[in-house]
Amino acid sequence: MKVAVLISGRGSNLKAILEAEKENKLGKAKVVLILSNKPEAKGLEHARKYRKKIEILESKGYEKREEYDKILVRILNDYEIDLVVLAGFMRILSPVFIEAFRNRVINIHPSLLPSFPGLHAQKQALDYGVKISGCTVHFVTEEVDGGPIILQHPVEVRDDDTVESLSQRILQYEHQILPKAIQLISEGKVKIEGRKTRIVS
Ligand code: GRF
């Protein structure tokens, strides 16, 4: 199963995926492409270290989201990508993209969805005062952060947490559940049933 990882920044989730692959913990998945919409994305260092193919697709020059997404689909098809992993890719994907890769795009989000979708999920959790937050891997649909949930992990929110401390604690679990989800999907163990998924053993 050929995987593309899409990033925009730091790339710590990408690093976790590449480390998992090196340790043969990614099932039948093979990371064949790292794509960034930012040429300066720090995470590209990990792609270089692991000698992965890199594509940069900046959003400059594309008036409409759909125009950008059509090029994105073309690149991913050129690499015969089976699964697209959004790992801190800071763009909302249009229906053009979702349709082309239906049930083949996953995302990592730093809250227990459906709580706190969208940007700054950790700050939203702190501001709301929840005692438990966490992270979620889910399939991507037209609804932002709203697709079928694959894996989640809870994280306790402490009274003295800051956005940074909570984000950091959640991140450790992101690095576990995202590679795990890729492994499960690559082994055909994730069945989508309506708005749910079922993990088969
Ligand atoms: C993570 O918090 C992820 O949940 C969110 O964006 C952040 C990306 O971090 N979608 P990194 O670039 O993987 O370090």
Side-chain angles (χ1 to χ4, degrees), residues 6-16 43 46 86-90 107-111 118 121-122 134-136 145 167 170-171 174-175 178:
L6 275 50
I7 65 167
S8 298
R10 179 178 55 185
S12 70
N13 278 290
L14 167 64
K15 180 169 181 247
H46 305 301
L86 307 181
F89 188 62
M90 299 304 285
N107 180 45
I108 177 78
H109 183 77
S111 75
Q122 303 95 332
C135 46
T136 304
D145 297 328
S167 301
I170 293 174
L171 199 58
E174 294 183 28
H175 296 166
L178 186 53

Side-chain angles (χ1 to χ4, degrees), residues 41-91:
K42 224 179 148 282
L44 291 172
E45 286 171 16
H46 305 301
R48 289 187 197 104
K49 180 177 165 200
Y50 284 88
R51 300 185 187 288
K52 296 293 182 184
K53 284 257 192 260
I54 293 174
E55 294 280 353
I56 309 288
L57 184 61
E58 288 189 87
S59 46
K60 269 188 263 172
Y62 298 98
E63 264 183 33
K64 293 205 184 111
R65 192 175 292 284
E66 289 73 20
E67 290 173 21
Y68 179 96
D69 284 3
K70 275 183 192 162
I71 309 287
L72 189 56
V73 168
R74 204 174 67 203
I75 295 173
L76 295 170
N77 281 335
D78 283 349
Y79 283 86
E80 301 177 324
I81 297 300
D82 301 302
L83 180 72
V84 180
V85 178
L86 307 181
F89 188 62
M90 299 304 285
R91 281 184 65 86

Side-chain angles (χ1 to χ4, degrees), residues 96-112:
V96 165
F97 185 89
I98 308 292
E99 196 52 57
F101 280 90
R102 175 77 59 198
N103 297 339
R104 296 192 293 143
V105 187
I106 65 172
N107 180 45
I108 177 78
H109 183 77
S111 75
L112 291 179

Side-chain angles (χ1 to χ4, degrees), residues 1 3 16-31 178-187:
M1 195 189 71
V3 174
I17 292 166
L18 294 174
E19 282 173 355
E21 182 176 42
K22 193 175 168 208
E23 292 165 13
N24 296 317
K25 289 182 182 160
L26 225 46
K28 295 178 180 167
K30 187 159 174 32
V31 179
L178 186 53
K180 182 73 187 170
I182 297 170
Q183 179 223 313
L184 291 169
I185 292 170
S186 79
E187 292 171 345

